[in-house]
Amino acid sequence: MKALILLGCPETPSQTPMAVYAFSKLTKLGYDVTIAANPAAAKLVKVSDPEGFYNLNIVDLERTLGEVSEGDYDLLVGFVHKDAAAAFFVTFDQILNTKSIALVFERDLDLVGQFVEMIEESGSKANIYAVRAFHNPSPIKINFDKALKELE
Amino acid sequence: MKALILLGCPETPSQTPMAVYAFSKLTKLGYDVTIAANPAAAKLVKVSDPEGFYNLNIVDLERTLGEVSEGDYDLLVGFVHKDAAAAFFVTFDQILNTKSIALVFERDLDLVGQFVEMIEESGSKANIYAVRAFHNPSPIKINFDKALKELE
């Protein structure tokens, strides 16, 4: 089983910790996990595991988008906290056409609603977990754990 | 040898990855390392090491401030990216009266200058490393590595 985690741009302080958390959790569930991120987001994830204990597999987001096809992954997990991240999630979701989870979070609740709409209007069947969050990773963590439970 | 790492508020995305990096690096240099952080910053650090590989030792910032005395630590390292963080650094620096490193970073260069001034005007003998940074942890990482080298 293969899982792809999409990171958005690195602005939110919760994303990097949650990327390691999601990678670790999915690996334990038996997934072969890949993290796709832009260069800045990737750098943050790499610095956060200086000893390489987590064996994080990080690839370039744009490049992966150019190479990926239906069937390459069994699960897509996207961190959505910007327009661009929502757009990337929707695109990967359409290409991969597999089980998918969108973790939508923003400090502004209106934006949370907008990103959810963007995903829904794309015709995606993604399981969307949306919450107001920025500094505190706990609401996103709770949503991610719930998403994995509902996946079973 | 004991080292204390002070985290500022969790707003900047570079702080959590750099906290793990600094903890790991100082541990390798033989320090017994403690991270002092407010509850939100502490939560981010904890989520970023879900398996506990780094054995991060995290304590409450305010509580530590109430308990700490001169001689408790041989090295103080502070992440300074807000007024509050600069104030905490200056206070710990005065109490501990030991070798200290201030890693000053902000996306706004004027604020970088202000925080450096705050530390200097306190009469601190800290080694101050200041840089414009927010998303990208590399400039902070380079400064931290340089600071450790100059410590030797």
Side-chain angles (χ1 to χ4, degrees):
Chain A
M1 286 194 305
K2 293 180 77 182
L4 182 66
I5 299 175
L6 293 187
L7 301 193
C9 83
E11 190 164 323
T12 162
S14 296
Q15 180 172 270
T16 303
M18 278 304 303
V20 180
Y21 181 83
F23 185 93
S24 171
K25 201 90 191 240
L26 288 169
T27 301
K28 278 191 156 176
L29 289 174
Y31 285 95
D32 176 6
V33 189
T34 302
I35 297 175
N38 73 19
K43 219 176 265 180
L44 284 167
V45 177
K46 278 173 201 156
V47 170
S48 81
D49 182 27
E51 297 296 323
F53 287 139
Y54 288 94
N55 284 308
L56 300 165
N57 175 26
I58 309 172
V59 298
D60 183 71
L61 181 65
E62 302 256 4
R63 190 167 176 172
T64 306
L65 182 57
E67 291 170 351
V68 85
S69 325
E70 187 169 339
D72 285 353
Y73 291 95
D74 307 288
L75 176 65
L76 172 68
V77 176
F79 289 90
V80 178
H81 56 90
K82 285 263 182 188
D83 271 15
F88 270 112
F89 179 80
V90 162
T91 311
F92 273 95
D93 193 31
Q94 282 171 345
I95 295 172
L96 292 174
N97 190 25
T98 187
K99 277 182 290 186
S100 62
I101 295 167
L103 299 168
V104 178
F105 60 104
E106 232 292 338
R107 105 207 292 178
D108 175 344
L109 204 53
D110 287 345
L111 288 176
V112 171
Q114 272 181 39
F115 300 156
V116 170
E117 259 178 42
M118 272 179 74
I119 297 170
E120 284 175 345
E121 283 172 3
S122 76
S124 167
K125 288 176 208 142
N127 294 313
I128 305 174
Y129 297 81
V131 73
R132 187 177 173 280
F134 186 71
H135 287 160
N136 184 350
S138 299
I140 313 166
K141 183 166 164 269
I142 288 167
N143 272 353
F144 179 67
D145 290 343
K146 207 199 292 177
L148 291 187
K149 221 162 200 172
E150 288 171 1
L151 204 69
E152 283 164 12
Chain B
M1 284 194 305
K2 294 180 76 182
L4 181 66
I5 299 175
L6 293 187
L7 300 192
C9 83
E11 190 165 324
T12 162
S14 297
Q15 179 172 269
T16 304
M18 278 304 303
V20 180
Y21 181 84
F23 184 94
S24 171
K25 202 87 192 245
L26 288 169
T27 301
K28 278 190 155 179
L29 288 174
Y31 286 95
D32 176 6
V33 190
T34 301
I35 297 175
N38 73 19
K43 220 178 262 179
L44 284 167
V45 177
K46 279 174 200 156
V47 170
S48 80
D49 182 26
E51 298 295 323
F53 287 138
Y54 288 93
N55 285 308
L56 300 165
N57 175 25
I58 309 172
V59 298
D60 183 71
L61 181 65
E62 303 257 4
R63 191 167 174 172
T64 306
L65 182 57
E67 291 170 352
V68 86
S69 326
E70 188 169 338
D72 285 354
Y73 292 92
D74 307 288
L75 176 65
L76 171 69
V77 177
F79 289 91
V80 178
H81 56 90
K82 285 261 183 193
D83 272 15
F88 270 112
F89 179 81
V90 162
T91 311
F92 273 95
D93 193 30
Q94 282 170 347
I95 296 172
L96 292 175
N97 190 25
T98 185
K99 277 182 292 187
S100 62
I101 295 168
L103 299 167
V104 178
F105 60 103
E106 232 292 337
R107 101 207 297 176
D108 176 344
L109 204 54
D110 286 345
L111 288 175
V112 171
Q114 272 181 38
F115 301 156
V116 169
E117 261 178 43
M118 274 179 72
I119 297 169
E120 285 175 345
E121 284 172 2
S122 77
S124 168
K125 289 175 210 141
N127 293 313
I128 305 174
Y129 296 82
V131 72
R132 187 178 174 278
F134 184 72
H135 286 161
N136 185 348
S138 299
I140 312 166
K141 184 165 163 270
I142 288 165
N143 273 353
F144 178 67
D145 290 344
K146 208 198 294 175
L148 291 187
K149 223 164 197 167
E150 287 170 3
L151 204 68
E152 282 164 12

